[in-house]
């Protein structure tokens, strides 16, 4: 399949024509207003589908690397937030309510994933809660949605022990069942503050990941020095087991809050062990600085987290909104840093999902739109990339594997 995108501005630069072939970018040339599809097919041959760029920006499509599709209430009536403080209290609130939504779980998951794709997300890593209450019901719903939208987006599923691994008998066998059923990633959560046995918790997480040959995602809410302690245990096991490039720290809000020396040490070790990070752009101080992470070559991605669910009323399936939030919560004003947030939300996230993918090399690097790159693309209106993040326009065309899958916020067949 060959597609010609006419008159677009890659990363806001000069007007160009972009040729896509077999799911990759085949060429980028200065825009020629009299160019025809035949002119561009050349040795590639075959018919050419034309997409009119109309001077819009061309950027890589979004990679949402931290989303909870299994708890979504997107599209349902807004409800009062009833959760209390702390992970366990919030989880119990979710447990009491998730089955009783206005529509079945599968419909909610499908609707949310479809909206995400229509707004520009073609690469997704979703959590699927596995515990003795829901067993694999929530995992199965995300797995079915992955299959439903397999031609519009690539979806990875994290088998996620939201209630911990040790607090309820029967959790670990269910995690194994999910991994055997096709979970792509082994999840972990707050080894100290939730399970209160970090060594045992992490031994199980790393042991199952090694057994089923999957990467790891650690959901870390722990503050300050406690969070650093748990992270050091993760780094220790990553080094000892040779799992470089296979571990992601999600949230990890306060790893930069202890001391400057600790911040620099953690960034250096993340780079050395190729440990990636997934942020949801929280309004919280003490985070590891994005520019320093970029300079060190640490892979960083962005995600929407829960979306109007029983944990939080925030989230709307639009990663461009979440990109704005990432820039805002970090206090960025310079265009370069705002654009860097978009690079994190697109190419950065793609490198979290695939360590072999192109990585960001500093906060000024804008990859993903050159010949040979995957044809995972988003056309969006905007004067500049920074203004597109500020304005969050809706004139969007979404391309997955070289094919248009959504236009004007609507999925295409």
């Amino acid at each position: 399949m060959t597609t010609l995108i006419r008159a677009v501005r890659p990363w806001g630069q000069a007007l160009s024509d972009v040729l896509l072939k077999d799911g990759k970018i085949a060429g980028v040339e200065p825009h020629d207003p009299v160019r025809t599809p035949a002119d561009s097919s050349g040795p590639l041959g075959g018919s050419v589908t034309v997409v009119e760029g109309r001077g819009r920006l061309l950027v890589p499509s979004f990679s949402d690397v931290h989303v909870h599709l299994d708890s979504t209430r997107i599209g349902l009536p807004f409800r009062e937030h009833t959760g209390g403080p702390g992970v366990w209290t919030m989880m119990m609130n979710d447990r009491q309510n998730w089955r009783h939504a206005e529509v079945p779980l599968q419909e909610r998951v499908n609707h949310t994933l479809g909206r995400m794709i229509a707004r520009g997300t073609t690469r997704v890593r979703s959590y699927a809660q596995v515990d003795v209450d829901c067993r694999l019901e929530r995992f199965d719903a995300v797995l079915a949605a992955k299959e439903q939208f397999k031609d519009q987006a690539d979806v990875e599923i994290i088998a996620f022990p939201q209630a911990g691994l040790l607090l309820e008998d029967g959790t670990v066998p269910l995690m194994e069942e999910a991994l055997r059923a096709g979970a792509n990633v082994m999840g972990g959560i707050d080894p100290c503050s939730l399970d209160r046995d970090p060594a045992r918790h992490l031994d199980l997480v790393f042991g199952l990941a090694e057994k089923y040959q999957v990467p790891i995602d650690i959901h870390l809410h722990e503050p300050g020095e406690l969070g650093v302690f748990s992270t050091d245990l993760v780094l220790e096991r990553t080094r000892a087991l040779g799992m470089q490039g296979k571990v992601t720290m999600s949230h990890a809000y306060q790893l930069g809050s202890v001391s400057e020396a600790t911040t620099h040490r953690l960034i250096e070790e993340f780079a050395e062990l190729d440990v990636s990070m997934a942020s949801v752009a929280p309004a919280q101080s003490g985070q590891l600085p994005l520019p320093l992470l970029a300079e060190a070559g640490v892979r960083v991605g962005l995600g929407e987290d829960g979306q109007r669910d029983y944990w939080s009323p925030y989230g709307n399936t639009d990663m461009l909104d979440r990109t704005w939030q990432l820039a805002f919560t970090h206090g960025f004003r310079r265009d370069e840093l705002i654009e860097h947030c978009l690079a994190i939300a697109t190419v950065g996230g793609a490198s979290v999902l695939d360590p072999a993918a192109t990585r960001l090399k500093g906060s000024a690097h804008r990859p993903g739109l050159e010949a040979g790159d995957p044809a995972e693309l988003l056309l969006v209106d905007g004067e500049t990339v920074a203004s597109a993040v500020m304005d969050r326009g809706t004139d969007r065309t979404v391309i997955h594997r070289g094919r248009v899958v959504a236009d004007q916020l609507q999925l295409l067949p």
Side-chain angles (χ1 to χ4, degrees):
M1 177 181 179
T2 303
T3 300
L4 173 65
I5 310 174
R6 287 201 289 215
V8 289
R9 293 178 290 133
W11 282 113
Q13 299 303 307
L15 208 60
S16 301
D17 297 330
V18 179
L19 193 67
L20 314 178
K21 176 71 173 178
D22 296 332
K24 293 186 179 295
I25 296 175
V28 180
E29 300 179 2
H31 173 57
D32 181 350
V34 299
R35 189 192 309 272
T36 67
D39 294 331
S40 297
S41 60
L44 296 173
S47 61
V48 179
T49 299
V50 176
V51 176
E52 297 296 347
R54 295 184 278 104
R56 286 177 291 172
L57 301 170
L58 181 70
V59 295
S61 59
F62 290 111
S63 305
D64 188 327
V65 299
H66 185 120
V67 64
H68 295 263
L69 284 172
D70 64 323
S71 66
T72 177
R73 282 185 54 87
I74 289 292
L76 301 185
F78 197 83
R79 71 185 297 278
E80 179 184 2
H81 178 63
T82 55
V87 171
W88 185 262
T89 304
M90 293 285 282
M91 190 212 62
M92 294 305 294
N93 178 66
D94 176 88
R95 184 176 283 187
Q96 293 164 10
N97 288 287
W98 72 271
R99 285 189 176 89
H100 310 301
E102 294 84 343
V103 301
L105 175 63
Q106 191 65 66
E107 186 176 331
R108 283 178 270 157
V109 175
N110 288 0
H111 176 69
T112 298
L113 181 55
R115 279 184 49 126
M116 290 169 61
I117 298 166
R119 282 151 182 77
T121 298
T122 67
R123 292 166 285 205
V124 179
R125 178 180 276 184
S126 175
Y127 294 86
Q129 184 167 320
V130 176
D131 61 29
V132 298
D133 170 65
C134 65
R135 302 183 68 82
L136 264 62
E137 186 176 349
R138 293 166 72 145
F139 168 82
D140 287 341
V142 180
L143 187 64
K146 173 181 178 175
E147 175 65 21
Q148 173 77 21
F149 293 96
K150 64 182 180 182
D151 294 328
Q152 288 116 334
D154 296 322
V155 179
E156 287 188 355
I157 307 175
I158 304 170
F160 182 45
Q162 180 73 78
L165 290 169
L166 307 176
L167 298 177
E168 298 177 311
D169 290 341
T171 300
V172 174
L174 287 168
M175 293 292 291
E176 284 215 63
E177 190 176 343
L179 289 164
R180 286 194 297 269
N184 307 100
V185 183
M186 175 66 193
I189 182 171
D190 296 338
C192 290
S193 61
L194 188 58
D195 269 341
R196 298 180 179 273
D197 188 344
R200 178 63 178 150
H201 179 95
L202 291 173
D203 284 348
L204 285 167
V205 169
F206 277 82
L208 288 174
E210 187 173 35
K211 180 177 180 179
Y212 291 95
Q213 291 297 293
V214 295
I216 289 169
D217 187 293
I218 303 290
H219 216 78
L220 190 71
H221 308 95
E222 295 170 352
E225 292 184 355
L226 184 62
V228 171
F229 176 75
S230 288
T231 300
D232 281 338
L233 294 179
V234 171
L235 296 174
E236 179 183 87
R237 282 162 174 76
T238 302
R239 179 179 284 106
L241 296 173
M243 291 197 66
Q244 291 88 338
K246 297 181 179 180
V247 176
T248 300
M249 299 298 296
S250 284
H251 290 314
Y253 303 126
Q254 292 192 335
L255 293 185
S257 68
V258 173
S259 69
E260 185 175 348
T262 300
T263 293
H264 285 283
R265 176 182 67 79
L266 287 175
I267 291 174
E268 288 173 4
E269 290 197 54
F270 279 21
E272 175 198 349
L273 297 172
D274 198 12
V275 170
S276 62
M277 297 196 70
S279 174
V280 298
Q284 190 158 349
S285 60
Q287 301 174 64
L288 293 176
L290 292 178
L292 293 184
L293 288 165
E295 289 170 14
V298 177
R299 293 175 291 132
V300 180
L302 183 65
E304 280 232 70
D305 207 8
Q307 301 185 80
R308 285 205 174 187
D309 57 15
Y310 301 102
W311 291 73
S312 167
Y314 294 93
N316 65 357
T317 72
D318 192 343
M319 279 285 286
L320 193 53
D321 274 359
R322 191 54 57 111
T323 301
W324 177 93
Q325 183 174 316
L326 184 66
F328 180 77
T329 55
H330 281 267
F332 292 158
R333 299 188 182 192
R334 288 170 43 210
D335 284 14
E336 177 184 298
L337 292 177
I338 294 169
E339 290 183 16
H340 178 54
C341 289
L342 188 62
I344 288 172
T346 57
V347 178
S351 72
V352 171
L353 298 174
D354 178 8
T358 299
R359 302 177 179 218
L360 295 176
K361 301 173 183 176
S363 58
H365 190 204
R366 304 286 179 266
L369 301 181
E370 298 175 356
D373 288 334
E376 302 292 323
L377 304 168
L378 172 65
L379 285 74
V380 61
D381 50 320
E383 299 172 65
T384 67
V385 174
S387 76
V389 175
M390 295 298 107
D391 296 336
R392 304 184 295 288
T394 58
D395 185 2
R396 306 184 197 181
T397 301
V398 185
I399 294 173
H400 174 56
R401 298 179 188 168
R403 182 176 72 89
V404 175
V405 296
D407 192 53
Q408 305 305 308
L409 308 186
Q410 298 295 320
L411 283 178
L412 299 179

